[in-house]
Amino acid sequence: MLTEKEVLTTLEMLRNEHLDVRTVTLGLSLFDLATHDAARFQDRLLSRITGMAASLVDVCDEVGDIYGIPVVNKRISVSPLAVVGAPFSSRELVQTAMTLDQAAQEVGVDFIGGFSALVEKGLARGDLSLIEAVPEALTVTSRLCASFNVATTAAGINMDAVLLLAKTIKAAAARTADQDGLACAKLGVFANIPQDVPFMAGAYLGVGEPNAVINVGVSGPGVVKRALERALEADDHLALDEISEVIKRTAFKVTRIGELIGREVARRLNVPFGVVDLSLAPTPNVGDSVGEIFQVLGLAHIGAPGSTAALAMLNDAVKKGGAFASSSVGGFSGAFIPVSEDLNIAEAAAQGHLTLPKLEALTSVCSVGLDMVALPGDTSAETLAAIIADEMAIGMINRKTTAARLIPVPGKQAGEKAFFGGLLGEAVIIPVPGNGGSERFINLGGRVPAPLQSLGN
């Protein structure tokens, strides 16, 4: 049973520490809508989403009001469009993207994900059409997100897909040059992508999922930071194992709140409850930063030596506390380090403390990966592909999810600022060491074979 003090600290989390439910995501299966007629498919698509999600936003707001816990983002994920839209041309898929965007606007959700393909072992016709459609689709829509899985531990890395997507990122950036390449902020490239992710840009509804499902993503960097500050104020000689215990207890409370809200929303919508994603997801607000947690732990800034060890401990403690609080954990479940979306991390990058190599090292122990990283606009497609391939290799070898959400900002160089707005924030463009030095390797193409599953080391 919770003590009186623990109840009071939970109330303090709600009032002053940015505790909220970051996202409630309604997953909708589209497999039964498949047809060769694109216009008919789009009509069915619009009807399915506006029918099933008509009350999603109102229900989330009602439940949030009842419990005094705001649901910040309401989102929808759908079956991978490369599968359900496999017969369509890239032109028809752009029109389908506009239908998805229209549906999202009509029901009032922030983002809709599922303009996605799973291409870790090869590129089918539908996959190629979808990738060809991506630059225009992400330019003419405002709420659509796209994701591509190019690697798994079981299949290896599809290097042809990696290079193709790097060229697609460059094309998407060029189409939105007047917005600092904003389209790229809605495109993620993944290794080992989960099928039940509630967070964008990776959210889609996998083939093993039910017809409809509610998945929840909680917040919590500000809550963890304040919990650590309180503990260290009470005893500044706490050891790291004792600090880990504080994080576990905090993650437990945060997760219970997320599950409470998620199950109530699912009950009212009469759909199954799926998972709670245990990720610590920051915002660009002061006091809600993963980077600030590092400073509380005694590091001058994120990126200083010791950062990888601190992040590993933080990530593990969050998972342990959250797993004890919920029987339905899924998604990414880790600490996000999105550069532009976390004010403290963005400042560390701007001051040169957090470099691209150090970010890559951090992603070996965190979820999800190189996230919202602004790069010079003249970064070549081959160099982007090499950065993506490096990140995919970390996920493949370590049997974990990793991702790259890279934004080559057209016309801007390292040290200049890119502005994306809203939750996507802003970031100083960081330099890319060795730009142009990977062309021969990347153009070899083919597939990096799957790693040996035994003899782990």
Side-chain angles (χ1 to χ4, degrees), residues 345-375:
I345 294 176
E347 288 178 355
Q351 293 166 9
H353 300 312
L354 197 52
T355 62
L356 190 61
K358 186 59 180 177
L359 273 169
E360 184 183 306
L362 291 173
T363 65
S364 66
V365 298
C366 87
S367 295
V368 172
L370 294 172
D371 197 11
M372 291 299 291
V373 180
L375 302 175

Side-chain angles (χ1 to χ4, degrees), residues 281-298:
T283 70
N285 299 323
V286 174
D288 197 27
S289 162
V290 171
E292 290 176 48
I293 296 174
F294 287 71
Q295 293 173 324
V296 176
L297 292 174

Side-chain angles (χ1 to χ4, degrees), residues 95 101 187 206 352 416:
Q95 293 165 345
D101 200 57
L187 168 60
E416 294 186 77

Side-chain angles (χ1 to χ4, degrees), residues 329-355:
V329 173
F332 296 135
S333 290
F336 290 179
I337 51 170
V339 177
S340 75
E341 296 175 6
D342 186 306
L343 184 61
N344 187 279
I345 294 176
E347 288 178 355
Q351 293 166 9
H353 300 312
L354 197 52
T355 62

Side-chain angles (χ1 to χ4, degrees), residues 161-424:
V162 168
L163 180 56
L164 182 56
L165 284 166
K167 292 177 178 176
T168 301
I169 290 170
K170 291 283 287 185
R175 280 181 173 269
T176 50
D178 59 339
Q179 298 172 287
D180 285 344
L182 178 63
C184 302
K186 298 182 286 181
L187 168 60
V189 183
F190 286 81
N192 293 322
I193 189 171
Q195 302 191 42
D196 51 9
V197 177
F199 288 105
M200 298 296 171
Y204 78 102
L205 190 70
V207 296
E209 297 288 311
N211 197 49
V213 65
I214 287 290
N215 294 320
V216 173
V218 296
S219 179
V223 174
V224 171
K225 177 197 167 199
R226 277 299 299 140
L228 291 176
E229 287 175 338
R230 278 194 294 267
L232 289 168
E233 285 166 7
D235 181 359
D236 63 358
H237 291 93
L238 285 180
L240 285 172
D241 54 336
E242 295 169 308
I243 288 174
S244 174
E245 190 65 22
V246 173
I247 298 171
K248 282 165 55 181
R249 287 175 172 271
T250 307
F252 175 86
K253 295 174 192 173
V254 170
T255 305
R256 293 297 274 184
I257 288 172
E259 178 147 335
L260 171 71
I261 297 296
R263 288 192 180 278
E264 183 61 19
V265 169
R267 187 186 69 79
R268 292 181 179 225
L269 291 174
N270 196 29
V271 300
F273 175 72
V275 300
V276 180
D277 187 317
L278 304 179
S279 296
L280 286 183
T283 70
N285 299 323
V286 174
D288 197 27
S289 162
V290 171
E292 290 176 48
I293 296 174
F294 287 71
Q295 293 173 324
V296 176
L297 292 174
L299 294 167
H301 45 73
I302 184 171
S307 297
T308 307
L311 184 57
M313 182 195 71
L314 173 66
N315 217 27
D316 181 67
V318 167
K319 290 182 180 182
K320 286 174 176 171
F324 187 58
S326 174
S327 57
S328 300
V329 173
F332 296 135
S333 290
F336 290 179
I337 51 170
V339 177
S340 75
E341 296 175 6
D342 186 306
L343 184 61
N344 187 279
I345 294 176
E347 288 178 355
Q351 293 166 9
H353 300 312
L354 197 52
T355 62
L356 190 61
K358 186 59 180 177
L359 273 169
E360 184 183 306
L362 291 173
T363 65
S364 66
V365 298
C366 87
S367 295
V368 172
L370 294 172
D371 197 11
M372 291 299 291
V373 180
L375 302 175
D378 62 359
T379 306
S380 71
E382 287 78 8
T383 298
L384 284 177
I387 296 169
I388 294 170
D390 285 344
E391 191 59 36
M392 299 302 104
I394 290 172
M396 176 185 71
I397 295 294
N398 292 292
R399 303 179 181 87
K400 71 185 287 292
T401 302
T402 55
R405 191 161 45 151
L406 307 176
I407 308 165
V409 183
K412 291 192 175 180
Q413 298 298 320
E416 294 186 77
K417 233 175 185 180
F419 301 89
F420 308 116
L423 185 65
L424 299 175

